[in-house]
Amino acid sequence: MRKIVWLLVIALFVLHQDFWFWDNRTLVFGFLPIGLFYHAMFSFAAAGVWLLAVKFAWPDEIEQWADQTDAEDHA
Amino acid sequence: MIAITLAEASMLPLYIIIGYLALLIGLGLVSSAFFRGTAADYFVVSRSVGSFLLLMSVFGTTMTGFALVGSTGKAFTSGIGVYGLMASWSGLIHSTCFFLVGIKLWAVGKRYGYVTQCQYFRERFDSPALGYMLFPVLVLLVIPYLLVGVIAAGKFLQASTAGMFLEAFPLPNLPNGKPNPMSGGLPPWFGAGIICLVVLSYVFFGGLRGAVWANTFQTLVFMITGVIAFTMISQKLGGLAAASEKLLASNHAERAARTGQIGYAQFFSYCFIPLSVGMFPHLFQHWLTAKSAKTFRLTVVAHPIFIAIVWVPCILIGIWAAGMLPPTVNPNAVLGIMISKLVESPLLSGLVGAGVLAAIMSSLDSQFMCIGTMFTNDIVVRLVGHDRYSDHQKIWISRGFVLGVVAVTYAIAVMLMVQGDTHVFDLGVWCFSGFAALFPLVFAAVYWKHTTKLGAIACLLTTAIVWFVFFYRDIFMAKPEGAEGEALVMGMMPVTFIFAASAAALVIVSLITPRLPDRIVNKFFAPALHNA
């Protein structure tokens, strides 16, 4: 699952370059230019992918490491 | 088309702004009551900040006045592509930096008690020289950013109060004989001074806790006022659909798309700019305030949504304005004009005024605080000795530096305002470019064990040199006619090339110079960190 999450993050980087809507002036819901709608949805998709990241790719061990000292590590 | 005339001003917006500033001072006083009297509390809130406060303070710190005023103005001139250029890239890349870099630096900072970036880099690369070289670079990159905030606040207060004090602060007519629209407004030096004093009051006494509390309040204010302004403007235009249809029927329908306004390469290369958050010293300090690694979760997920909430309404107001206002209007005045001419509500003008100041001050406070922290810990304590001063003395040294930094920044800002020098606003994007180009340094420090001391120094020096070459070319050299817009190189932002040079220097020099001893590197690459 961790790999899928990182693939999704990479996919977002690629999907940001939406050349297919570059000259499209269609209004979504009657008011939102489609290029703006796409990127607003992109922001929500980014939030969704980061939600998956914190759920499936979270560095759980880091908390414990941060609380330790070097002396505890070597013990 | 809306005609722009000078109207008699109501005092209500000023009263609302004064009330808002008084609330901020009160909040600062309350937060200082929670101060525990330790240096750790003053610099990093005893590493006790929870999820909600971290989200709001980090978001408030990364969003400047540009988020409300600049985004509307930029959409007015360049259309909807501005959202993809700045907002959706930032939503994705800021969260990436928080997740990949912020959490790890928080862990290292907590484990070894760091409060500044120089402390971390000096020990990570076992190089006091790197610490001393990094310090001036970071300070020099933050100061113009501070100046932009202070000058913007002064000018914004003048515009917000124009017409209120015609006898006290009259301005001569414009060269074309028309009355100066800023006449009767509070002079920028006065407004900037008030804003500096308010920010100083809560940072001086409350330290970073004061900034965190104030940022949370300010973030709520500028988010809510933005949405209220959007709702009222769209109602006055006959609803959302009617407003957008008017744009499509106007001579500026191209603002609803990107062709002819933003190029493919420019659009892509903007992705490098938000990487600056990985090296902002003020953001580094905010990361260290987190109570635990889990505290970052809400920030990582909600940050892109918060950006959409603030930016989408502003972009829509900007493109609607393109269909209604003359193209000669100053882009930074577009939001104010849309509110004053369409809604005609002094109440809303006052609320939005407070919102814009909130966005400006929520960045200023953290920057003042971080410079005071850096001078105290990276210079004074470093040179004199860590155990020489008590916590109480360190806090007062830091307060002295914060006071000094505010005074120096204010003095330079007033000097630039008196000279009418506008170059300082051009410096904003260069500050971001400089921090972004240093991103390879922090990323390699966190992820690449083979990064060497000389590799890190080469990265820093290369960034400084290449940055200066592009900066000089843009700011000091005469531009060809018709090239007044954004400085692009082969259609891309200059940061692309500075970043590439910085990364290449780091990798190449690290590969050919001696590695650091394992006992030093492993301190920062414990198995838990490395595998995370």
Side-chain angles (χ1 to χ4, degrees), chain B residues 42-108:
Chain B
Y42 192 76
F43 296 130
V44 287
V45 204
S46 301
R47 303 181 201 273
S48 64
V49 166
S51 300
F52 179 70
L53 287 183
L54 186 71
L55 165 67
M56 301 306 271
S57 59
V58 165
F59 184 69
T61 301
T62 52
M63 292 293 121
T64 62
F66 189 88
L68 292 178
V69 177
S71 60
T72 309
K74 188 92 174 155
F76 175 73
T77 56
S78 305
I80 57 151
V82 172
Y83 186 88
L85 207 67
M86 297 177 171
S88 61
W89 263 142
S90 295
L92 177 61
I93 291 171
H94 286 181
S95 287
T96 307
C97 290
F98 301 156
F99 192 93
L100 292 179
V101 176
I103 295 168
K104 300 212 171 191
L105 291 181
W106 166 83
V108 171

Side-chain angles (χ1 to χ4, degrees), chain A residues 2 6 9 12-14 16-19 21-27 29-36 38-40 42-44 46-48 50-51 53-55 57-71 73, chain B residues 80 83-84 88-89 92-93 95-96 99-100 103-104 106-108 110-112 240-241 244-245 248 253-254 256-259 262-264 267-268 292-294 296-297 300-301 304-305 308 312 315-316 319 523 526 528-529 531-532:
Chain A
R2 190 173 279 216
W6 291 115
V9 173
L12 282 174
F13 275 85
V14 175
H16 186 274
Q17 197 73 5
D18 62 324
F19 56 86
F21 285 140
W22 218 258
D23 198 25
N24 192 331
R25 299 177 188 179
T26 306
L27 297 178
F29 304 127
F31 77 97
L32 207 51
I34 197 162
L36 182 58
Y38 176 85
H39 277 279
F42 181 94
S43 296
F44 285 92
W50 287 117
L51 185 63
V54 300
K55 199 167 173 55
W58 189 256
D60 282 315
E61 314 87 344
I62 209 165
E63 204 91 57
Q64 195 187 355
W65 185 83
D67 286 332
Q68 286 173 341
T69 61
D70 282 350
D73 275 355
Chain B
I80 57 151
Y83 186 88
S88 61
W89 263 142
L92 177 61
I93 291 171
S95 287
T96 307
F99 192 93
L100 292 179
I103 295 168
K104 300 212 171 191
W106 166 83
V108 171
K110 185 173 185 190
R111 188 175 166 112
Y112 298 114
L240 297 168
S244 293
E245 290 294 348
L248 292 186
E254 74 278 4
R258 277 163 280 180
T259 301
I262 294 170
Y264 291 131
F267 195 72
F268 167 75
S292 69
K294 291 185 183 71
F296 278 82
R297 288 179 171 177
V300 168
V301 174
I305 297 173
V312 171
I315 298 292
L316 280 171
I319 60 168
K523 273 179 69 180
L529 257 187
N531 298 331

Side-chain angles (χ1 to χ4, degrees), chain B residues 303-505:
Chain B
H303 191 82
I305 297 173
F306 272 35
I307 287 180
I309 291 171
V310 172
W311 280 70
V312 171
C314 290
I315 298 292
L316 280 171
I317 293 172
I319 60 168
W320 293 339
M324 304 167 64
L325 299 177
T328 49
V329 165
N330 175 359
N332 286 331
V334 167
L335 181 61
I337 293 170
M338 290 293 276
I339 289 167
S340 61
K341 300 299 170 190
L342 282 175
V343 184
E344 294 174 32
S345 161
L347 176 68
L348 183 63
S349 296
L351 286 174
V352 171
V356 172
L357 289 175
I360 294 172
M361 288 194 287
S362 62
S363 302
L364 275 181
D365 52 14
S366 306
Q367 291 161 346
F368 281 137
M369 185 64 207
C370 93
I371 300 233
T373 305
M374 287 164 67
F375 269 110
T376 306
N377 292 283
D378 295 330
I379 300 295
V380 178
V381 173
R382 172 79 190 157
L383 292 176
V384 176
H386 190 265
D387 300 324
R388 178 79 186 274
Y389 295 117
S390 67
D391 270 14
H392 183 71
Q393 287 170 317
K394 284 181 197 166
I395 291 164
W396 276 101
I397 292 169
S398 179
R399 282 176 173 158
F401 277 119
V402 170
L403 189 62
V405 170
V406 173
V408 169
T409 306
Y410 176 66
I412 299 173
V414 169
M415 202 174 66
L416 292 172
M417 285 189 279
V418 168
Q419 291 174 348
D421 192 336
T422 55
H423 276 327
V424 68
F425 287 98
D426 298 334
L427 297 184
V429 72
W430 287 104
C431 295
F432 280 79
S433 299
F435 284 119
L438 288 172
F439 183 79
L441 177 63
V442 70
F443 192 78
V446 169
Y447 284 98
W448 194 31
K449 276 187 168 185
H450 293 191
T451 314
T452 65
K453 183 190 304 185
L454 290 173
I457 291 173
C459 173
L460 182 60
L461 291 178
T462 304
T463 299
I465 293 166
V466 181
W467 179 90
F468 185 76
V469 169
F470 281 108
F471 172 76
Y472 185 83
R473 184 174 168 269
D474 181 47
I475 300 290
F476 296 109
M477 284 174 66
K479 292 176 188 172
E481 207 160 312
E484 291 84 10
E486 210 144 39
L488 299 176
V489 181
M490 292 189 280
M492 288 189 274
M493 297 292 288
V495 65
T496 315
F497 302 95
I498 312 173
F499 182 94
S502 156

